[in-house]
Coordinates of all heavy atoms in Angstrom, one line a residue:
M1187 N 0.6 2.7 -28.4 CA 1.7 3.1 -27.6 C 3.0 2.3 -28.1 O 3.0 1.1 -28.2 CB 1.4 2.8 -26.1 CG 2.5 3.2 -25.2 SD 2.1 2.8 -23.4 CE 0.9 4.1 -23.0
S1188 N 4.1 3.0 -28.2 CA 5.3 2.4 -28.7 C 5.9 1.6 -27.6 O 5.6 1.7 -26.4 CB 6.3 3.5 -29.2 OG 6.8 4.2 -28.0
T1189 N 6.8 0.7 -28.0 CA 7.5 -0.2 -27.0 C 8.3 0.7 -26.0 O 8.4 0.4 -24.8 CB 8.5 -1.1 -27.8 OG1 7.7 -1.9 -28.6 CG2 9.2 -2.0 -26.8
N1190 N 9.0 1.8 -26.5 CA 9.8 2.6 -25.6 C 8.9 3.3 -24.6 O 9.2 3.4 -23.4 CB 10.5 3.7 -26.4 CG 11.7 3.1 -27.1 OD1 12.2 2.0 -26.8 ND2 12.2 3.8 -28.1
S1191 N 7.7 3.8 -25.0 CA 6.8 4.5 -24.1 C 6.2 3.4 -23.1 O 6.0 3.8 -21.9 CB 5.8 5.3 -24.8 OG 4.9 4.5 -25.6
Q1192 N 6.0 2.2 -23.5 CA 5.5 1.2 -22.6 C 6.5 0.9 -21.6 O 6.3 0.7 -20.4 CB 5.1 -0.1 -23.4 CG 3.8 0.0 -24.2 CD 3.6 -1.2 -25.0 OE1 4.5 -1.8 -25.5 NE2 2.3 -1.5 -25.2
L1193 N 7.8 0.7 -22.0 CA 8.9 0.5 -21.1 C 9.1 1.6 -20.1 O 9.3 1.4 -18.9 CB 10.2 0.3 -21.9 CG 11.4 -0.1 -21.1 CD1 11.2 -1.3 -20.3 CD2 12.6 -0.3 -22.0
Q1194 N 9.0 2.8 -20.6 CA 9.1 4.0 -19.7 C 8.0 4.0 -18.7 O 8.2 4.3 -17.5 CB 9.1 5.3 -20.5 CG 9.4 6.5 -19.6 CD 10.8 6.4 -18.9 OE1 11.8 6.2 -19.6 NE2 10.8 6.6 -17.6
S1195 N 6.8 3.6 -19.1 CA 5.7 3.5 -18.1 C 5.9 2.5 -17.0 O 5.6 2.8 -15.9 CB 4.4 3.2 -18.9 OG 3.3 3.0 -18.0
V1196 N 6.5 1.4 -17.4 CA 6.8 0.3 -16.4 C 7.9 0.9 -15.5 O 7.8 0.7 -14.3 CB 7.3 -1.0 -17.1 CG1 7.8 -1.9 -16.1 CG2 6.1 -1.6 -17.9
I1197 N 8.9 1.5 -16.0 CA 10.0 2.0 -15.2 C 9.4 3.1 -14.2 O 9.8 3.1 -13.0 CB 11.1 2.7 -16.1 CG1 11.8 1.5 -16.8 CG2 12.1 3.5 -15.3 CD1 12.8 2.0 -17.9
D1198 N 8.6 4.0 -14.7 CA 8.0 5.0 -13.9 C 7.2 4.4 -12.7 O 7.2 4.8 -11.6 CB 7.1 6.0 -14.6 CG 7.9 6.8 -15.6 OD1 9.1 6.9 -15.5 OD2 7.3 7.4 -16.5
T1199 N 6.4 3.3 -13.0 CA 5.6 2.6 -12.0 C 6.5 2.0 -11.0 O 6.3 2.1 -9.8 CB 4.7 1.5 -12.7 OG1 3.8 2.2 -13.6 CG2 3.9 0.8 -11.6
L1200 N 7.6 1.3 -11.4 CA 8.5 0.7 -10.5 C 9.2 1.7 -9.6 O 9.4 1.5 -8.4 CB 9.6 -0.1 -11.2 CG 9.1 -1.4 -11.9 CD1 10.2 -2.0 -12.7 CD2 8.5 -2.4 -10.9
I1201 N 9.5 2.9 -10.1 CA 10.1 3.9 -9.3 C 9.1 4.4 -8.3 O 9.5 4.7 -7.1 CB 10.6 5.1 -10.2 CG1 11.9 4.6 -11.0 CG2 11.0 6.3 -9.4 CD1 12.3 5.6 -12.1
S1202 N 7.9 4.6 -8.7 CA 6.8 5.0 -7.8 C 6.6 4.1 -6.6 O 6.5 4.5 -5.5 CB 5.5 5.2 -8.5 OG 4.5 5.6 -7.7
V1203 N 6.6 2.8 -7.0 CA 6.4 1.7 -5.9 C 7.6 1.7 -5.0 O 7.5 1.7 -3.7 CB 6.2 0.3 -6.6 CG1 6.4 -0.8 -5.6 CG2 4.9 0.3 -7.3
D1204 N 8.8 1.8 -5.5 CA 10.0 1.9 -4.7 C 10.0 3.1 -3.7 O 10.3 2.9 -2.6 CB 11.3 1.9 -5.6 CG 12.5 1.7 -4.8 OD1 12.6 0.7 -4.0 OD2 13.4 2.5 -4.9
N1205 N 9.6 4.2 -4.2 CA 9.4 5.4 -3.4 C 8.4 5.2 -2.2 O 8.7 5.6 -1.1 CB 9.1 6.7 -4.2 CG 10.2 7.1 -5.1 OD1 11.3 6.9 -4.8 ND2 9.9 7.8 -6.1
R1206 N 7.3 4.5 -2.6 CA 6.3 4.3 -1.5 C 6.8 3.3 -0.5 O 6.5 3.5 0.7 CB 5.0 3.7 -2.2 CG 4.2 4.7 -2.9 CD 2.9 4.1 -3.4 NE 2.6 4.8 -4.7 CZ 1.9 4.3 -5.6 NH1 1.4 3.1 -5.5 NH2 1.6 5.0 -6.7
L1207 N 7.6 2.3 -0.9 CA 8.1 1.4 0.0 C 9.1 2.1 1.0 O 9.2 1.8 2.2 CB 8.8 0.2 -0.7 CG 7.8 -0.7 -1.4 CD1 8.7 -1.8 -2.2 CD2 6.8 -1.4 -0.5
S1208 N 9.9 3.0 0.4 CA 10.8 3.8 1.3 C 10.1 4.6 2.3 O 10.5 4.7 3.5 CB 11.7 4.6 0.4 OG 12.5 3.9 -0.4
N1209 N 9.0 5.2 1.9 CA 8.2 6.0 2.8 C 7.6 5.1 4.0 O 7.6 5.6 5.1 CB 7.0 6.6 2.1 CG 7.5 7.8 1.2 OD1 8.6 8.3 1.4 ND2 6.7 8.2 0.2
I1210 N 7.2 3.9 3.7 CA 6.7 3.0 4.7 C 7.8 2.7 5.7 O 7.6 2.8 6.9 CB 6.2 1.7 4.1 CG1 4.8 2.0 3.4 CG2 6.0 0.6 5.2 CD1 4.4 0.8 2.5
E1211 N 9.0 2.5 5.3 CA 10.1 2.2 6.2 C 10.4 3.4 7.0 O 10.7 3.3 8.2 CB 11.3 1.7 5.4 CG 11.2 0.3 4.9 CD 12.4 -0.1 4.1 OE1 12.9 0.7 3.3 OE2 12.7 -1.3 4.2
Q1212 N 10.4 4.6 6.4 CA 10.7 5.8 7.1 C 9.6 6.1 8.2 O 9.9 6.8 9.2 CB 10.8 7.0 6.2 CG 12.0 7.0 5.3 CD 12.0 8.0 4.2 OE1 11.1 8.8 4.1 NE2 13.0 8.0 3.4
Q1213 N 8.4 5.7 8.0 CA 7.3 5.9 8.9 C 7.2 4.8 10.0 O 6.2 4.7 10.7 CB 6.0 6.1 8.2 CG 6.0 7.3 7.3 CD 4.8 7.3 6.4 OE1 3.9 6.5 6.4 NE2 4.7 8.3 5.5
G1214 N 8.2 3.9 10.1 CA 8.2 2.9 11.2 C 7.7 1.6 10.7 O 7.5 0.7 11.6
G1215 N 7.5 1.4 9.5 CA 7.1 0.1 9.0 C 8.4 -0.7 8.6 O 9.5 -0.3 8.9
Y1216 N 8.1 -1.9 7.9 CA 9.2 -2.7 7.5 C 8.9 -3.4 6.1 O 7.7 -3.8 5.9 CB 9.5 -3.8 8.5 CG 10.5 -4.8 8.1 CD1 11.9 -4.5 8.1 CD2 10.2 -6.1 7.6 CE1 12.8 -5.4 7.7 CE2 11.1 -7.0 7.2 CZ 12.4 -6.7 7.2 OH 13.4 -7.6 6.8
V1217 N 9.8 -3.4 5.2 CA 9.7 -4.1 4.0 C 10.6 -5.2 3.9 O 11.8 -5.1 3.9 CB 9.9 -3.1 2.8 CG1 9.7 -3.8 1.4 CG2 8.9 -1.9 2.9
H1218 N 10.1 -6.4 3.7 CA 10.9 -7.6 3.5 C 11.0 -8.0 2.1 O 9.9 -8.0 1.4 CB 10.2 -8.8 4.3 CG 10.8 -10.1 4.0 ND1 11.9 -10.6 4.7 CD2 10.5 -11.1 3.1 CE1 12.2 -11.8 4.3 NE2 11.3 -12.1 3.3
T1219 N 12.2 -8.2 1.6 CA 12.4 -8.6 0.2 C 12.7 -10.1 0.1 O 13.7 -10.5 0.8 CB 13.5 -7.8 -0.5 OG1 13.1 -6.4 -0.5 CG2 13.7 -8.2 -1.9
Q1220 N 11.9 -10.9 -0.6 CA 12.2 -12.3 -0.8 C 12.7 -12.5 -2.2 O 11.9 -12.5 -3.1 CB 10.9 -13.1 -0.5 CG 11.1 -14.6 -0.6 CD 11.9 -15.2 0.6 OE1 11.8 -14.7 1.7 NE2 12.6 -16.2 0.3
A1221 N 14.0 -12.6 -2.4 CA 14.6 -12.7 -3.7 C 14.4 -14.1 -4.3 O 14.3 -14.2 -5.5 CB 16.1 -12.3 -3.7
V1222 N 14.5 -15.1 -3.5 CA 14.4 -16.5 -3.9 C 13.0 -17.0 -3.7 O 12.4 -16.9 -2.6 CB 15.4 -17.4 -3.2 CG1 15.3 -18.8 -3.6 CG2 16.8 -16.9 -3.4
A1223 N 12.3 -17.4 -4.8 CA 10.9 -17.9 -4.6 C 10.9 -19.1 -3.6 O 11.7 -20.0 -3.7 CB 10.4 -18.4 -6.0
A1224 N 9.9 -19.0 -2.7 CA 9.7 -20.0 -1.7 C 8.2 -20.1 -1.4 O 7.5 -19.1 -1.5 CB 10.5 -19.7 -0.5
T1225 N 7.7 -21.2 -0.8 CA 6.4 -21.3 -0.4 C 6.2 -20.8 1.0 O 5.0 -20.6 1.4 CB 5.8 -22.8 -0.5 OG1 6.7 -23.6 0.3 CG2 5.8 -23.3 -1.9
Q1226 N 7.2 -20.6 1.7 CA 7.1 -20.1 3.1 C 8.2 -19.0 3.3 O 9.4 -19.3 3.0 CB 7.3 -21.2 4.1 CG 7.0 -20.7 5.5 CD 6.9 -21.9 6.5 OE1 8.0 -22.4 6.9 NE2 5.8 -22.2 6.9
W1227 N 7.8 -17.9 3.8 CA 8.7 -16.8 4.1 C 8.7 -16.6 5.6 O 7.7 -16.6 6.2 CB 8.3 -15.5 3.4 CG 8.2 -15.4 2.0 CD1 8.4 -16.4 1.1 CD2 7.9 -14.3 1.2 NE1 8.2 -15.9 -0.2 CE2 7.9 -14.6 -0.2 CE3 7.5 -13.0 1.6 CZ2 7.5 -13.7 -1.2 CZ3 7.2 -12.1 0.5 CH2 7.2 -12.4 -0.8
T1228 N 9.9 -16.4 6.1 CA 10.0 -15.9 7.5 C 10.4 -14.4 7.5 O 11.4 -14.1 7.0 CB 11.1 -16.7 8.2 OG1 10.8 -18.1 8.2 CG2 11.3 -16.2 9.7
V1229 N 9.5 -13.6 8.0 CA 9.6 -12.2 7.9 C 9.9 -11.7 9.4 O 9.1 -11.7 10.2 CB 8.3 -11.5 7.4 CG1 8.5 -10.0 7.4 CG2 8.0 -12.0 6.0
I1230 N 11.2 -11.3 9.6 CA 11.6 -10.8 10.9 C 11.5 -9.3 10.8 O 12.4 -8.6 10.4 CB 13.0 -11.3 11.3 CG1 13.0 -12.8 11.3 CG2 13.4 -10.8 12.6 CD1 14.4 -13.5 11.4
H1231 N 10.4 -8.7 11.2 CA 10.1 -7.3 11.1 C 10.6 -6.5 12.2 O 10.8 -5.3 12.1 CB 8.6 -7.1 10.8 CG 7.7 -7.7 11.7 ND1 7.5 -7.3 13.0 CD2 6.9 -8.8 11.6 CE1 6.7 -8.0 13.6 NE2 6.3 -9.0 12.8
G1232 N 10.7 -7.1 13.4 CA 11.2 -6.4 14.6 C 10.3 -5.2 15.1 O 10.8 -4.3 15.8
L1233 N 9.0 -5.2 14.7 CA 8.1 -4.1 15.1 C 7.5 -4.3 16.5 O 6.9 -3.3 17.0 CB 7.0 -3.9 14.1 CG 7.5 -3.6 12.6 CD1 6.3 -3.6 11.7 CD2 8.2 -2.3 12.6
E1234 N 7.8 -5.4 17.1 CA 7.3 -5.7 18.5 C 5.7 -5.5 18.6 O 5.2 -5.1 19.6 CB 8.0 -4.8 19.5 CG 9.5 -5.1 19.7 CD 9.8 -6.5 20.0 OE1 9.0 -7.1 20.9 OE2 10.7 -7.0 19.5
R1235 N 5.0 -5.9 17.5 CA 3.6 -5.9 17.5 C 3.2 -6.8 16.3 O 4.0 -7.2 15.5 CB 3.0 -4.5 17.3 CG 3.4 -3.7 16.1 CD 2.9 -2.3 16.1 NE 3.5 -1.5 15.1 CZ 3.3 -1.5 13.8 NH1 2.4 -2.3 13.3 NH2 3.9 -0.7 13.0
S1236 N 1.9 -7.0 16.2 CA 1.5 -7.8 15.0 C 1.0 -6.9 13.9 O -0.1 -6.4 14.0 CB 0.3 -8.7 15.5 OG -0.1 -9.5 14.4
P1237 N 1.8 -6.5 13.0 CA 1.5 -5.5 12.0 C 0.6 -6.1 10.9 O 0.4 -7.3 10.7 CB 2.9 -5.2 11.3 CG 3.6 -6.5 11.4 CD 3.2 -7.1 12.7
G1238 N -0.1 -5.1 10.2 CA -0.8 -5.5 9.0 C 0.3 -5.8 7.9 O 1.4 -5.2 7.9
I1239 N 0.0 -6.8 7.1 CA 1.0 -7.2 6.1 C 0.3 -7.4 4.8 O -0.8 -8.0 4.7 CB 1.7 -8.5 6.4 CG1 2.5 -8.3 7.7 CG2 2.6 -9.0 5.3 CD1 3.2 -9.6 8.2
F1240 N 0.9 -6.9 3.7 CA 0.4 -7.3 2.3 C 1.7 -7.7 1.5 O 2.8 -7.2 1.8 CB -0.4 -6.2 1.7 CG 0.3 -5.0 1.1 CD1 0.8 -5.0 -0.1 CD2 0.5 -3.9 1.9 CE1 1.5 -3.9 -0.6 CE2 1.1 -2.7 1.5 CZ 1.6 -2.7 0.2
V1241 N 1.4 -8.5 0.5 CA 2.5 -9.1 -0.2 C 2.3 -8.8 -1.7 O 1.2 -9.0 -2.2 CB 2.7 -10.6 0.0 CG1 3.7 -11.2 -1.0 CG2 3.1 -10.9 1.4
T1242 N 3.4 -8.4 -2.4 CA 3.3 -8.3 -3.9 C 4.4 -9.2 -4.4 O 5.5 -9.3 -3.9 CB 3.5 -6.9 -4.4 OG1 4.8 -6.4 -3.9 CG2 2.4 -5.9 -3.9
D1243 N 4.1 -9.8 -5.6 CA 5.1 -10.6 -6.2 C 6.0 -9.7 -7.1 O 5.8 -8.5 -7.1 CB 4.5 -11.7 -7.1 CG 3.6 -11.3 -8.2 OD1 3.7 -10.1 -8.6 OD2 2.8 -12.1 -8.7
D1244 N 6.9 -10.3 -7.8 CA 7.9 -9.5 -8.5 C 7.2 -8.7 -9.7 O 7.8 -7.8 -10.1 CB 9.0 -10.4 -9.1 CG 10.0 -10.9 -8.0 OD1 10.1 -10.1 -7.0 OD2 10.6 -12.0 -8.1
A1245 N 6.1 -9.2 -10.1 CA 5.3 -8.5 -11.1 C 4.4 -7.4 -10.6 O 3.8 -6.7 -11.4 CB 4.5 -9.5 -12.0
G1246 N 4.4 -7.2 -9.3 CA 3.6 -6.2 -8.6 C 2.2 -6.6 -8.3 O 1.4 -5.8 -7.8
N1247 N 1.8 -7.9 -8.5 CA 0.5 -8.4 -8.1 C 0.4 -8.7 -6.7 O 1.3 -9.2 -6.0 CB 0.2 -9.7 -8.9 CG 0.3 -9.5 -10.4 OD1 -0.3 -8.7 -11.0 ND2 1.2 -10.4 -11.0
I1248 N -0.7 -8.3 -6.1 CA -1.0 -8.7 -4.7 C -1.2 -10.2 -4.6 O -1.9 -10.8 -5.4 CB -2.2 -7.9 -4.1 CG1 -1.8 -6.4 -4.1 CG2 -2.6 -8.4 -2.7 CD1 -2.9 -5.5 -3.7
V1249 N -0.6 -10.8 -3.6 CA -0.6 -12.3 -3.4 C -1.3 -12.6 -2.1 O -1.0 -12.0 -1.1 CB 0.8 -12.8 -3.5 CG1 0.9 -14.3 -3.3 CG2 1.6 -12.4 -4.7
E1250 N -2.1 -13.7 -2.1 CA -2.8 -14.1 -0.9 C -1.8 -15.1 -0.2 O -1.0 -15.8 -0.9 CB -4.1 -14.8 -1.3 CG -5.1 -13.9 -1.8 CD -6.4 -14.6 -2.0 OE1 -6.7 -15.7 -1.4 OE2 -7.2 -14.1 -2.8
F1251 N -1.9 -15.2 1.1 CA -1.1 -16.0 1.9 C -1.8 -16.4 3.2 O -2.7 -15.7 3.6 CB 0.3 -15.4 2.2 CG 0.1 -14.0 2.8 CD1 0.2 -13.9 4.2 CD2 0.0 -12.9 2.1 CE1 0.1 -12.7 4.9 CE2 -0.1 -11.6 2.7 CZ -0.1 -11.6 4.1
D1252 N -1.3 -17.4 3.8 CA -1.7 -17.7 5.2 C -0.6 -17.2 6.1 O 0.6 -17.1 5.7 CB -1.9 -19.2 5.4 CG -3.0 -19.8 4.7 OD1 -4.1 -19.1 4.7 OD2 -3.0 -20.9 4.1
R1253 N -0.9 -16.9 7.3 CA 0.0 -16.2 8.2 C -0.1 -16.8 9.6 O -1.1 -17.1 10.1 CB -0.3 -14.7 8.3 CG 0.4 -13.9 9.3 CD -0.1 -12.5 9.3 NE 0.6 -11.7 10.4 CZ 0.4 -10.4 10.6 NH1 -0.4 -9.8 9.7 NH2 1.0 -9.8 11.6
S1254 N 1.1 -16.9 10.2 CA 1.2 -17.2 11.7 C 2.2 -16.3 12.3 O 3.1 -15.8 11.6 CB 1.6 -18.7 11.9 OG 2.9 -18.9 11.4
D1255 N 2.1 -16.0 13.5 CA 3.0 -15.0 14.2 C 3.5 -15.8 15.5 O 2.9 -15.8 16.5 CB 2.2 -13.8 14.7 CG 1.8 -12.9 13.5 OD1 2.6 -12.3 12.9 OD2 0.6 -13.0 13.1
P1256 N 4.7 -16.3 15.4 CA 5.3 -17.0 16.5 C 5.7 -16.1 17.6 O 5.7 -16.5 18.8 CB 6.5 -17.7 15.9 CG 6.8 -17.0 14.7 CD 5.5 -16.5 14.2
N1257 N 5.9 -14.8 17.3 CA 6.1 -13.8 18.3 C 5.8 -12.4 17.7 O 5.5 -12.3 16.6 CB 7.6 -13.9 18.9 CG 8.6 -13.7 17.8 OD1 8.6 -12.8 17.1 ND2 9.5 -14.7 17.7
F1258 N 6.0 -11.3 18.5 CA 5.7 -10.0 18.0 C 6.7 -9.4 17.1 O 6.6 -8.2 16.7 CB 5.4 -9.1 19.2 CG 4.1 -9.3 19.8 CD1 3.9 -9.6 21.2 CD2 2.9 -9.2 19.1 CE1 2.7 -9.8 21.8 CE2 1.7 -9.4 19.7 CZ 1.6 -9.7 21.0
S1259 N 7.8 -10.1 16.8 CA 8.8 -9.6 15.9 C 8.9 -10.4 14.6 O 9.7 -10.1 13.7 CB 10.2 -9.6 16.6 OG 10.2 -8.7 17.6
T1260 N 8.1 -11.5 14.5 CA 8.3 -12.4 13.4 C 6.9 -12.8 12.8 O 6.0 -13.1 13.6 CB 9.0 -13.7 13.8 OG1 10.3 -13.3 14.4 CG2 9.3 -14.6 12.6
A1261 N 6.8 -12.9 11.5 CA 5.6 -13.5 10.8 C 6.1 -14.5 9.9 O 7.1 -14.4 9.2 CB 4.8 -12.4 10.1
I1262 N 5.3 -15.6 9.9 CA 5.6 -16.7 8.9 C 4.5 -16.6 7.9 O 3.3 -16.7 8.2 CB 5.6 -18.1 9.6 CG1 6.5 -18.1 10.8 CG2 5.9 -19.2 8.6 CD1 8.0 -18.0 10.4
L1263 N 4.8 -16.5 6.6 CA 3.9 -16.3 5.5 C 4.0 -17.6 4.6 O 5.1 -18.0 4.2 CB 4.1 -15.1 4.7 CG 4.3 -13.8 5.4 CD1 4.6 -12.6 4.4 CD2 3.1 -13.5 6.3
T1264 N 2.8 -18.2 4.4 CA 2.8 -19.5 3.6 C 2.0 -19.2 2.3 O 0.8 -18.7 2.4 CB 2.2 -20.6 4.4 OG1 3.0 -20.8 5.6 CG2 2.3 -21.9 3.6
F1265 N 2.5 -19.6 1.2 CA 1.9 -19.4 -0.1 C 1.5 -20.7 -0.8 O 2.2 -21.7 -0.5 CB 2.9 -18.6 -1.0 CG 3.3 -17.3 -0.5 CD1 4.4 -17.2 0.3 CD2 2.6 -16.1 -0.7 CE1 4.8 -16.0 0.9 CE2 2.9 -14.9 -0.2 CZ 4.1 -14.9 0.6
S1266 N 0.6 -20.7 -1.7 CA 0.2 -21.9 -2.4 C 1.2 -22.4 -3.4 O 1.2 -23.5 -3.8 CB -1.2 -21.7 -3.0 OG -1.2 -20.7 -4.0
S1267 N 2.0 -21.5 -3.9 CA 3.1 -21.8 -4.8 C 4.3 -20.9 -4.5 O 4.2 -19.9 -3.8 CB 2.7 -21.6 -6.2 OG 2.4 -20.3 -6.5
A1268 N 5.5 -21.4 -4.9 CA 6.7 -20.6 -4.6 C 6.6 -19.2 -5.2 O 6.2 -19.0 -6.3 CB 7.9 -21.3 -5.2
T1269 N 6.9 -18.3 -4.3 CA 6.7 -16.8 -4.7 C 7.9 -16.0 -4.2 O 8.5 -16.3 -3.2 CB 5.4 -16.3 -3.9 OG1 4.3 -17.1 -4.3 CG2 5.2 -14.8 -4.2
S1270 N 8.3 -15.1 -5.0 CA 9.3 -14.1 -4.6 C 8.7 -12.7 -4.8 O 7.7 -12.5 -5.5 CB 10.6 -14.2 -5.5 OG 10.2 -14.0 -6.9
G1271 N 9.1 -11.7 -4.0 CA 8.6 -10.4 -4.0 C 8.8 -9.7 -2.7 O 9.9 -9.8 -2.1
K1272 N 7.8 -8.9 -2.3 CA 8.0 -8.0 -1.1 C 6.8 -8.2 -0.2 O 5.7 -8.3 -0.6 CB 8.1 -6.6 -1.5 CG 9.4 -6.3 -2.3 CD 9.6 -4.8 -2.5 CE 10.8 -4.5 -3.3 NZ 12.1 -4.8 -2.7
A1273 N 7.1 -8.2 1.1 CA 6.1 -8.2 2.2 C 6.2 -6.8 2.8 O 7.3 -6.5 3.3 CB 6.3 -9.3 3.2
V1274 N 5.1 -6.1 2.9 CA 5.1 -4.8 3.5 C 4.4 -4.9 4.8 O 3.2 -5.2 4.9 CB 4.4 -3.7 2.5 CG1 4.4 -2.4 3.2 CG2 5.1 -3.7 1.2
C1275 N 5.1 -4.5 5.9 CA 4.5 -4.6 7.2 C 4.3 -3.2 7.8 O 5.3 -2.4 7.7 CB 5.5 -5.3 8.2 SG 6.0 -6.9 7.6
S1276 N 3.1 -2.8 8.2 CA 2.9 -1.5 8.7 C 2.0 -1.5 9.9 O 1.4 -2.5 10.2 CB 2.3 -0.6 7.6 OG 1.1 -1.1 7.1

C-alpha cells in the first residue's frame, strides 16, 4: 500500500469516527473533547443521568479510566497517565 493510500485510509477512518460522534450528539448523547492531556477530566455532560461513557485517545485507542459521578450532570474521569482525546457519553 502506498503512503498516499495509507494516508487516505486514515483520513477516511477519521471522517467516519467524526460522523459517528455527531450522530451520538444528535441522539441525545454528549461528546467531550479533551484537547490538553491530563490525568483527570471533568466531563460536564448535562444529561441528568449517569450515562455510559467510553474514552478514545487522539490515536483512536480505547482508554481505561476510573470514574466518579459527583452529580447526574458531571463525571470525573481519572487516567493512569496524562491523556487527551474524546469521552463519549450515551
Side-chain angles (χ1 to χ4, degrees):
M1187 184 181 281
S1188 72
T1189 302
N1190 284 343
S1191 59
Q1192 288 174 325
L1193 180 58
Q1194 187 60 51
S1195 177
V1196 169
I1197 291 169
D1198 292 344
T1199 300
L1200 291 173
I1201 290 170
S1202 175
V1203 168
D1204 190 51
N1205 288 339
R1206 287 185 209 153
L1207 293 175
S1208 293
N1209 287 340
I1210 287 170
E1211 289 178 321
Q1212 291 171 0
Q1213 295 170 3
Y1216 174 75
V1217 178
H1218 171 84
T1219 300
Q1220 182 73 34
V1222 177
T1225 57
Q1226 189 173 74
W1227 299 3
T1228 301
V1229 178
I1230 302 171
H1231 51 73
L1233 298 175
E1234 296 302 321
R1235 59 183 168 77
S1236 182
I1239 298 177
F1240 74 90
V1241 173
T1242 57
D1243 64 16
D1244 288 332
N1247 301 306
I1248 294 176
V1249 180
E1250 292 184 21
F1251 57 92
D1252 291 321
R1253 172 184 175 174
S1254 64
D1255 293 283
N1257 59 55
F1258 284 123
S1259 293
T1260 306
I1262 306 295
L1263 311 182
T1264 304
F1265 303 90
S1266 60
S1267 62
T1269 303
S1270 59
K1272 295 188 183 293
V1274 179
C1275 307
S1276 59

